[in-house]
Amino acid sequence: MTFKRDIHIVWFKRDFRWHDHAPIRSALASGENVLFVALYEPSLWNEQPYDERHERFLWDSIRDLNEIAGKEVVYFLKVEALEFFKRCLDNFRVKAVYSHRETGIGKTFVRDKDVASLLNAHDVSWNEWDYGGVKRGLKHRRNWLKDWYDYVDVAPLHTDINAVQALALPNPFESWQHSQSFEPHPYFQKGGASRGERVLYSFLTERIKRYAQSISKPLASRKGCSRISPHLAWGNLSIRQVWHMAEVVELAGSKRNQRAFVDRLRWQAHFIQKFESACSYEFRPINSAYTAIDASKIWDQQKFDAWKNGTTGVPLVDACMRCVAATGYLNFRMRAMVVSFYSQYLWLPWEAGARYLASTFTDFEPGIHYTQFQMQSGYTGVNTIRIYNPIKQSFDQDPKGEFIKQWLPELKGLPLPHLHEPWAIPPMMWEMEQWNIGAYPKHPIVDLSSARKHASDQLYGIKKTKASKLEAQLILEKLVNPRAKKS
Ligand SMILES: Cc1cc2nc3c(=O)[nH]c(=O)nc-3n(C[C@H](O)[C@H](O)[C@H](O)COP(=O)(O)OP(=O)(O)OC[C@H]3O[C@@H](n4cnc5c(N)ncnc54)[C@H](O)[C@@H]3O)c2cc1C
């Protein structure tokens, strides 16, 4: 009989940090060898909603973990999860696996079920912890808010890095090592807990002063908002660490700005909890009365490509789409506007748009993304239907056209106010001024006012039906905190 070494496995999922990490703490408490791993699973990562920008972020995050540990102790392995665990079981006596529960996409849920069956068949316990105050198997939201406050109020857990160094196992699977390295990217946010802490600190102590005035603006938000979203989405920071940091440091800015930020931390968990309780958000309208509307939409590849590539002829929408593809970030209002444009003006089926946009956000968080995408498409029957006017947004949020000019250089020569709506320029003026906008469309690819009216008639029409109201009631009961009527 061959001797098998005892090991414990910590599986990093969307929780790339050392501290405030119950699975790590528990594995270290065993006092035995621990294998720390993160998996790059080709079947998952090679397609949307994932993208190379997410892979980079993880790669940075793992390097940061190792820098903090003072040596390589966390391994990034390119292998399917099931294959990894099978090999571990073949080579070691696996005493337990430790991880957070992942509120992920359908594919990760199925994968977790397969891993659970495998471990179960070998009598290996998989110790999983709820993540960020989000609970699995919740039947209603009556006590959710109180429980969430109780959760975030507890001090974040500390991890003893000396114990990590002492117990970490050398990499037993060198051949799976994710060997690709990445040059720094000019725009994408870099991952890592250390960076996340710095970004948060600079926000709370200085940048927060401009929060309210920047939050809706595509350009100002890039500095005036916290920009911690990818660090939260990939777990470089826990929501509890952010919550406590906001209490501990001397906050700059007005009470209003501070409250607005802290409210959003609660929203983060609230949306992820909705998705945890109703993961069908990823695949179909949460209010099934809207399924027929979505099914009646006709796929139009040209419209989709124009939206994706930023050539719809509506400058602010196009600037946003080019910016997010290049940088991985857009502020909330601009995200909502590009979704409204896609689902309502272009009248395209929601799922392909949601998948593409997710692949562009470095902070892709399934729980926030799919719920928000449906909400901004007007598909819930619960929320106020918002059909954003992209021209008004352009004048309001980018009055000098700086953001538009940055991302649509072909429009640089157009003076204000024409930059916001080139189609309103009289033909005689085009002739006299000889403005050259290259191949950029002189007119939007859809007529904005009739597209808006069509979407409004359709969406309000369904919202009034008995079926929609009934479903809306069920959604409110199951997924929304009863004290806050709308979400
Ligand atoms: C269609 C659509 C898709 C979105 N997809 C994502 C996503 O995949 N991942 C993601 O993190 N956010 C998503 N958001 C929410 C929001 O746009 C981003 O959280 C925010 O822009 C991130 O920037 P920030 O960190 O500077 O935010 P701040 O304004 O500084 O807010 C701090 C944190 O609060 C949370 N937060 C802020 N706004 C919201 C909100 N409306 N709902 C829930 N949580 C919020 C985020 O974790 C954010 O990092 C989406 C919004 C829309 C309309």
Side-chain angles (χ1 to χ4, degrees):
M1 206 173 99
T2 51
F3 169 75
K4 285 187 179 177
R5 197 172 182 180
D6 288 350
I7 63 161
H8 297 252
I9 300 173
V10 169
W11 181 9
F12 287 95
K13 286 169 145 197
R14 282 179 160 261
D15 49 2
F16 291 89
R17 60 175 182 276
W18 286 120
H19 300 292
D20 205 26
H21 201 299
I24 294 177
R25 170 176 274 231
S26 194
L28 293 177
S30 72
E32 298 181 321
N33 283 316
V34 182
L35 178 60
F36 295 99
V37 286
L39 304 178
Y40 176 95
E41 299 154 86
S43 65
L44 190 67
W45 283 85
N46 282 345
E47 60 184 33
Q48 290 173 5
Y50 290 105
D51 181 74
E52 190 194 286
R53 66 196 65 197
H54 304 124
E55 184 183 350
R56 279 172 170 275
F57 198 86
L58 255 62
W59 186 79
D60 287 333
S61 301
I62 293 165
R63 272 166 50 117
D64 183 64
L65 285 170
N66 286 326
E67 272 168 27
I68 295 169
K71 61 177 184 176
E72 194 180 6
V73 291
V74 181
Y75 309 108
F76 194 19
L77 304 181
K78 202 165 192 170
V79 58
E80 299 298 335
L82 213 53
E83 201 182 338
F84 165 75
F85 283 106
K86 277 184 189 156
R87 181 82 76 88
C88 288
L89 292 164
D90 286 345
N91 287 278
F92 298 99
R93 204 156 74 93
V94 180
K95 295 188 74 177
V97 177
Y98 306 79
S99 77
H100 281 114
R101 271 190 198 99
E102 181 177 355
T103 303
I105 58 175
K107 272 190 159 187
T108 55
F109 186 68
V110 171
R111 176 214 53 203
D112 283 352
K113 283 214 295 199
D114 292 343
V115 169
S117 310
L118 176 75
L119 296 176
N120 205 18
H122 287 80
D123 279 334
V124 175
S125 65
W126 180 2
N127 305 319
E128 286 185 286
W129 280 259
D130 279 340
Y131 191 69
V134 172
K135 295 178 182 183
R136 184 149 290 178
L138 204 64
K139 295 273 180 298
H140 57 74
R141 294 286 288 268
R142 261 167 254 146
N143 306 318
W144 184 83
L145 198 55
K146 180 187 171 302
D147 291 350
W148 187 78
Y149 280 122
D150 288 348
Y151 168 79
V152 287
D153 277 341
V154 173
L157 301 171
H158 177 75
T159 294
D160 177 1
I161 301 294
N162 292 328
V164 170
Q165 290 169 342
L167 299 178
L169 201 73
N171 185 1
F173 305 121
E174 286 287 346
S175 62
W176 283 336
Q177 183 76 29
H178 178 288
S179 52
Q180 187 180 350
S181 58
F182 295 101
E183 291 301 313
H185 189 277
Y187 292 121
F188 294 156
Q189 284 181 262
K190 261 173 88 87
S194 313
R195 185 170 295 264
E197 279 168 24
R198 287 200 297 277
V199 170
L200 176 61
Y201 187 79
S202 73
F203 175 69
L204 294 177
T205 55
E206 180 58 35
R207 292 184 292 117
I208 195 171
K209 288 177 193 160
R210 299 185 293 276
Y211 192 45
Q213 73 212 53
S214 318
I215 197 163
S216 296
K217 302 205 164 12
L219 208 52
S221 60
R222 305 183 85 80
K223 277 199 184 144
C225 286
S226 73
R227 304 300 305 276
I228 60 167
S229 55
H231 300 290
L232 275 173
W234 296 101
N236 293 159
L237 298 170
S238 74
I239 197 81
R240 187 154 61 180
Q241 286 173 318
V242 178
W243 185 263
H244 279 262
M245 184 105 140
E247 282 194 342
V248 172
V249 300
E250 196 170 322
L251 290 176
S254 66
K255 285 268 171 286
R256 183 170 156 240
N257 282 340
Q258 295 166 9
R259 210 172 32 248
F261 174 68
V262 170
D263 280 350
R264 280 165 179 76
L265 300 181
R266 197 181 63 244
W267 297 0
Q268 188 257 13
H270 164 68
F271 277 90
I272 299 175
Q273 181 66 63
K274 277 209 246 189
F275 188 67
E276 172 60 50
S277 302
C279 56
S280 61
Y281 264 113
E282 183 186 347
F283 304 109
R284 44 189 176 274
I286 187 66
N287 185 323
S288 61
Y290 292 79
T291 307
I293 272 213
D294 199 64
S296 75
K297 290 178 168 180
I298 296 164
W299 181 251
D300 185 323
Q301 189 66 41
Q302 275 185 341
K303 282 186 187 166
F304 180 79
D305 289 343
W307 177 71
K308 183 176 151 185
N309 299 328
T311 54
T312 67
V314 181
L316 186 61
V317 171
D318 292 337
C320 285
M321 293 305 290
R322 293 190 198 181
C323 168
V324 74
T327 69
Y329 180 78
L330 264 188
N331 60 318
F332 175 82
R333 185 176 284 254
M334 294 302 109
R335 293 187 198 207
M337 180 192 72
V338 297
V339 170
S340 162
F341 195 79
Y342 172 90
S343 292
Q344 297 161 345
Y345 289 84
L346 299 183
W347 205 243
L348 288 170
W350 78 283
E351 209 185 330
R355 224 178 310 116
Y356 169 72
L357 210 53
S359 76
T360 68
F361 294 154
T362 310
D363 64 20
F364 170 50
E365 168 62 70
I368 304 178
H369 184 68
Y370 290 109
T371 47
Q372 279 286 357
F373 201 105
Q374 288 202 19
M375 196 162 129
Q376 305 305 337
S377 296
Y379 278 6
T380 67
V382 175
N383 309 93
T384 309
I385 295 169
R386 284 197 195 95
I387 304 182
Y388 282 79
N389 178 341
I391 311 310
K392 181 176 184 313
Q393 293 303 318
S394 197
F395 278 99
D396 289 354
Q397 310 306 345
D398 186 27
K400 294 184 186 158
E402 292 161 304
F403 179 74
I404 294 176
K405 284 188 200 161
Q406 183 180 350
W407 294 104
L408 303 183
E410 58 268 56
L411 298 194
K412 260 188 178 154
L414 291 188
L416 291 168
H418 304 308
L419 186 63
H420 296 290
E421 40 181 354
W423 58 91
I425 301 173
M428 206 174 81
M429 211 163 177
W430 279 114
E431 255 177 58
M432 279 166 32
E433 300 287 346
Q434 296 282 299
W435 288 314
N436 180 5
I437 60 169
Y440 191 79
K442 277 193 177 159
H443 292 273
I445 57 167
V446 290
D447 177 74
L448 295 181
S449 55
S450 59
R452 184 188 169 93
K453 179 167 181 337
H454 174 258
S456 169
D457 290 349
Q458 296 283 323
L459 293 171
Y460 279 106
I462 294 282
K463 197 173 182 189
K464 280 189 217 135
T465 63
K466 229 179 171 173
S468 167
K469 285 183 182 165
L470 209 63
E471 289 258 341
Q473 196 51 43
L474 294 175
I475 294 168
L476 281 172
E477 276 165 26
K478 187 173 174 205
L479 303 179
V480 179
N481 172 11
R483 266 189 277 159
K485 284 235 158 52
K486 283 179 187 165
S487 58

